[in-house]
Each structure stands twice: as structure tokens, then as C-alpha cells.
């Protein structure tokens, strides 16, 4: 059990970082290798790393300049009560992407006229979704906002979780991550996700401290080496399955392994292709891929599940464990429906019995999800 946690994080460094997507891809996903001895931070495959990210220093400087603060002003951290300079607080402790309605009340108390955007609740809620702290400061230009009041009114910067993509049996002094770089346009400017920017761009190799701790999985772990596993992991959902397969190789596991991977284009977005195709060559892995944008019609992992429904049903009937990782909002639900259809078609079950069957698999911990 690791002694590191949110209030006492381990400070790792990034040893290596490279794009898993091609330079002409429509997205950017990075492989990030953190340098840290396994004995300092024991973990199991299926666990995640919680990263305490830093905000982009440019954003912090823009806020300080807008408010005419130097950044050296000492403030008391509202959570820990420790004293630190405002700049450090804004970099490491404050959520600068989202404001709370309390922050807006404070602005008006500090001499800023109420902006029409914020006059009624509906408009206010929309504004809260589409404006960051700097946007609000620019709209309001508060004249009497003190550094401490600013610090007190910001939401805390929360840790971000990343599935561990390596096995400590193969890489005892490293933790690998698969990080999708998030960017979006808001208020006419390109903005990026705080932690994905920090890991993929902001942090310097070998020097920037990456505060982290291990977030143990809630049962998302390998079965015994003789059991067969079916892994469904489109996009970054494949990360823990790279770790699972490394570990199964190290254990010389006899159980069968079947991976369903999906991304946009085979030529640009096939993460870890050499590793997975080598395992296929060694007859260690059965691999089915769904490249959604390589043809006019979308093909997703659930279509591949249906296509191989008879075989998938056989694996399940012979006791295989089923794992799903990646997008919670749509993918995991669509995969669940595909599994229901497979149980109806190949198990000859009614829809209701198919649902009960999946429920039982979950109860037996043979159908495990790690979705976000
Ligand atoms: C258990 C677990 C494991 C995970 N594993 C991985 C992993 O292996 N790899 C991985 O890449 N991620 C993983 N994630 C997701 C990861 O934790 C982060 O949520 C993700 O990287 C985004 O964080 P961020 O700080 O970069 O973005 P944030 O700064 O948190 O930004 C995200 C926010 O940006 C806003 N936003 C996004 N798009 C738009 C838009 N178009 N317009 C306006 N606002 C927008 C939304 O408010 C959204 O909530 C995992 C999550 C969990 C819970
Ligand atoms: N909230 C959102 O709208 C949204 C959108 C994208 C990603 N995300 C989040 O961003 C993070 C990283 O995403 P990621 O880069 O790992 O990959 P991803 O965006 O999840 O995409 C991976 C693959 O899954 C496909 N996909 C899209 N919808 C699907 C569905 N309903 N069922 C099965 N596959 C589907 C994508 O196809 P296409 O892209 O061609 O459709 C792509 O080929 C995740 O947390 C994810 O939840 C959120």
C-alpha cells in the first residue's frame, strides 16, 4: 500500500514522451513515461495514477496582469491555511477553467457592474459553462478585488486520473500513460484541458515535478492466468489493456486474450500497433479493430462485437472475463446494448433474460468497467 496520497503526493518526472498518433492525425494522443521506482509506488495493472496538474503559466500571468497583481502577494490557502504566493496558488491550487456563482457575486461586491449576461439564472448558468475565470475578470474589471478574496472565491483544482498502461513486471521503474490531448474552442480562442496540457506539452522532460499518487482500481484487475479475457478499449480505453497484456506475457498466462480496439483512422491512430500485432503473430492475442472514419459509415467496437458475436458468446460460455474501458457517455452504453443483442441472438435469451445475464456477469465480477 502506497503512503502517497493527495496531500502527500510523490514527485515523479517525465522520462519520455511521444505522439502515438501520426502528425497528420485529426487528434493528438501521447505516450508518457514517468520515471519512478516501483518499490516507492507499488501498483497493480488496472490501477490509475492521480495527477495533481499545474495550470498553464500563461493563463496565470494573464490573470495577474488583468488584476494588476505581481503574483508575489502572500495569501492563505483556504483549504490548508498555509501561506504561499498568489502565483503559486493560481498555478497549483485553483480551478481557472470554471467559475462558481460565488465568484461572480464577489466580483459585483468588488465594484464591478453586473454584466447583462449574468442578470437571470438561465443566462448565468450558460455563462458559467462557456467562460473561464479570465473571461469573467475581463467582463467585470473589478476594482476592489484583493488577492486573498480572489483565492477564497476560486474552486479547487482537482486531480485527474490516467489508467496505467504498463506492468511493473516488465517496467519496474516506470509508469506509462496514454494521454489524449484535449483542446476546444471557447470564446473564440483555442483552449486546452489542464492536465492533458500539463502532461503532453507544459511539463519539461526530466525536470518538471509531476505530483501524483496511485488510485487503486475498484476490482478492475486480471483474473487467474488460466482464465480467458475479452478487452474492449477504444481510444485511450486501450491503456490498461496494454498493461494487462504485458503482465499476462510476463506471467506466461495460458488463458486466451482478445482485444477490441477502435480509433478514427488505421493509418494515423492505431496506438501501440507494433506491440499488438506482434502479440497476434505470436498467437498470444486475437485482435479486432474498428477504425471509425476509414469509410463512409461509422464502424465502432460494438459493430465488431456483433460481427464476432457467435465466437464471443462461446468465450463467455466457457468463462471468459469481459472488460470495457474508455468513454462512459456513449461507448460503454452502446457496448452494453451490443452484448445484450449477442446474448439474445446466440444465447437464445429474451431481452429481459439477456439483461439478467449481463447483470449476473457483473455481480460475478466477470464483466468489469473502467469508464470515464
Ligand atoms: C479512472 C479514469 C481513468 C482515466 N484514464 C485516462 C487515460 O488513460 N487517458 C486519458 O487521456 N484520459 C483518461 N481519463 C480522463 C482524464 O482523467 C481527464 O479527464 C482528461 O485527460 C481531461 O482532463 P484535462 O485536465 O486535460 O481537461 P479539463 O481541464 O478537465 O477539461 C475538461 C473540461 O473541458 C471542458 N470542455 C471540453 N470540451 C469542451 C468544449 N468543446 N467546449 C467547452 N468546454 C469544453 C469541459 O468542461 C470538460 O469537463 C481517465 C479518467 C478516469 C476517471
Ligand atoms: N463528451 C464528449 O463529447 C466526448 C467526445 C470525445 C471524447 N470524449 C472523452 O475524451 C476522452 C478521450 O477520448 P479518446 O481520445 O480516448 O477517444 P474517443 O473520443 O472516445 O474515440 C475513440 C474511438 O471511439 C469512437 N466512438 C465514438 N463514439 C462511439 C460510440 N458510441 N461507441 C463506440 N465507439 C465510439 C470514436 O469514433 P468517432 O470519433 O469517429 O465517432 C473513435 O474511433 C474520453 O474521456 C472521452 O470520454 C468526450
Amino acid at each position: 500500500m502506497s503512503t502517497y496520497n493527495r496531500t502527500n503526493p510523490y514527485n515523479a518526472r517525465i522520462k519520455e514522451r511521444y505522439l502515438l498518433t501520426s502528425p497528420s492525425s485529426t487528434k493528438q494522443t501521447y505516450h508518457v513515461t514517468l520515471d519512478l521506482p516501483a518499490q516507492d509506488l507499488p501498483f497493480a495493472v488496472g490501477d490509475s495514477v492521480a495527477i495533481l496538474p499545474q495550470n498553464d503559466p500563461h493563463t496565470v500571468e494573464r490573470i495577474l496582469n488583468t488584476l494588476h497583481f505581481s503574483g508575489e502577494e502572500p495569501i492563505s490557502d483556504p483549504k490548508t491555511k498555509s501561506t504561499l504566493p498568489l502565483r503559486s496558488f493560481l498555478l497549483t491550487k485553483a480551478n481557472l477553467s470554471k467559475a462558481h456563482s460565488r465568484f461572480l457575486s464577489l466580483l459585483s461586491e468588488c465594484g464591478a457592474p453586473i454584466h447583462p449576461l449574468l442578470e437571470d439564472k438561465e443566462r448565468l448558468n450558460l455563462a458559467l459553462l462557456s467562460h473561464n475565470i479570465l473571461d469573467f475578470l475581463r467582463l467585470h474589471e473589478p476594482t476592489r478585488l484583493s488577492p486573498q478574496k480572489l483565492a477564497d472565491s476560486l474552486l479547487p483544482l482537482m486531480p485527474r486520473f490516467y489508467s496505467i498502461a504498463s506492468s511493473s513486471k516488465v517496467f519496474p521503474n516506470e509508469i506509462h500513460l496514454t494521454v489524449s490531448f484535449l483542446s476546444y474552442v471557447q470564446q473564440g480562442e483555442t483552449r486546452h484541458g489542464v492536465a492533458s496540457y500539463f502532461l503532453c506539452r507544459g511539463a519539461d522532460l526530466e525536470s518538471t515535478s509531476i505530483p501524483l499518487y496511485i488510485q487503486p482500481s475498484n476490482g478492475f484487475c486480471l483474473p487467474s492466468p488460466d482464465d480467458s479475457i475479452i478487452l474492449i478499449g477504444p481510444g485511450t480505453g486501450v491503456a490498461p489493456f496494454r498493461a494487462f497484456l504485458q503482465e499476462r506475457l510476463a506471467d506466461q498466462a495460458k488463458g486466451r486474450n482478445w482485444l477490441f480496439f477502435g480509433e478514427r483512422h488505421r493509418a494515423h491512430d492505431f496506438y501501440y500497433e507494433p506491440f499488438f500485432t506482434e502479440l497476434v503473430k505470436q498467437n498470444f492475442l486475437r485482435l479486432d479493430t474498428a477504425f471509425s472514419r476509414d469509410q463512409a459509415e461509422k464502424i465502432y467496437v460494438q459493430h465488431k462485437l456483433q460481427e464476432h458475436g457467435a465466437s464471443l458468446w462461446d468465450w463467455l460460455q466457457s468463462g471468459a472475463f469481459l472488460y470495457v474501458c474508455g468513454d462512459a457517455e456513449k461507448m460503454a452504453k452502446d457496448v452494453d446494448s451490443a452484448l445484450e443483442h449477442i446474448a439474445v441472438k446466440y444465447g437464445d435469451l429474451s431481452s429481459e433474460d439477456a439483461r439478467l445475464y449481463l447483470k449476473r456477469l457483473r455481480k460475478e465480477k466477470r464483466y468489469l468497467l473502467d469508464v470515464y
Side-chain angles (χ1 to χ4, degrees), residues 37-229:
Q39 78 267 15
D40 284 1
L41 236 86
F43 67 89
V45 292
D47 289 350
S48 299
V49 163
I51 301 278
L52 307 180
Q54 257 189 39
N55 284 306
D56 181 356
H58 296 111
T59 308
V60 170
E61 291 314 312
R62 286 166 85 192
I63 291 176
L64 293 173
N65 290 340
T66 304
L67 293 168
H68 308 291
F69 292 154
S70 72
E72 298 308 309
E73 299 84 351
I75 57 111
S76 161
D77 178 346
K79 260 186 114 184
T80 62
K81 308 294 173 213
S82 59
T83 302
L84 73 170
L86 178 62
R87 177 177 285 102
S88 309
F89 178 82
L90 294 178
L91 274 173
T92 60
K93 309 275 181 177
N95 181 341
L96 305 180
S97 315
K98 281 217 161 30
H100 190 266
S101 49
R102 195 179 64 221
F103 176 73
L104 301 175
S105 321
L106 173 84
L107 292 187
S108 49
E109 282 162 29
C110 294
I114 283 287
H115 193 276
L117 257 185
L118 314 175
E119 269 166 359
D120 65 75
K121 210 172 167 191
E122 209 172 304
R123 293 181 88 185
L124 170 77
N125 285 337
L126 281 176
L128 287 173
L129 287 176
S130 56
H131 292 66
N132 66 19
I133 296 298
L134 185 61
D135 297 330
F136 283 121
L137 291 173
R138 285 178 169 165
L139 280 176
H140 284 270
E141 297 178 10
T143 48
R144 299 193 305 269
L145 180 61
S146 71
Q148 185 64 52
K149 273 193 177 163
L150 171 67
D152 290 343
S153 65
L154 296 173
L155 290 164
L157 183 59
M158 302 301 281
R160 310 295 202 270
F161 301 97
Y162 294 91
S163 308
I164 295 177
S166 55
S167 157
S168 59
K169 290 184 182 163
V170 182
F171 296 99
N173 298 315
E174 297 176 357
I175 283 183
H176 299 184
L177 306 179
T178 310
V179 185
S180 173
F181 179 72
L182 171 68
S183 68
Y184 53 93
V185 175
Q186 195 180 51
Q187 300 302 315
E189 42 176 62
T190 301
R191 296 186 170 165
H192 37 249
V194 173
S196 57
Y197 177 81
F198 178 57
L199 289 170
C200 299
R201 303 269 177 85
D204 292 323
L205 292 191
E206 313 277 4
S207 63
T208 306
S209 262
I210 314 287
L212 56 82
Y213 59 94
I214 301 293
Q215 178 71 27
S217 83
N218 189 13
F220 195 80
C221 50
L222 278 172
S224 85
D226 290 337
D227 289 314
S228 298
I229 54 175

Side-chain angles (χ1 to χ4, degrees), residues 20 67 135 149 154 172 197 243 283 299 315 323 325 332 336 353:
L20 290 166
L67 293 168
D135 297 330
K149 273 193 177 163
L154 296 173
Y197 177 81
N283 265 332
I299 297 181
W315 278 52
Y323 297 81
C325 182
D336 191 70
D353 285 344

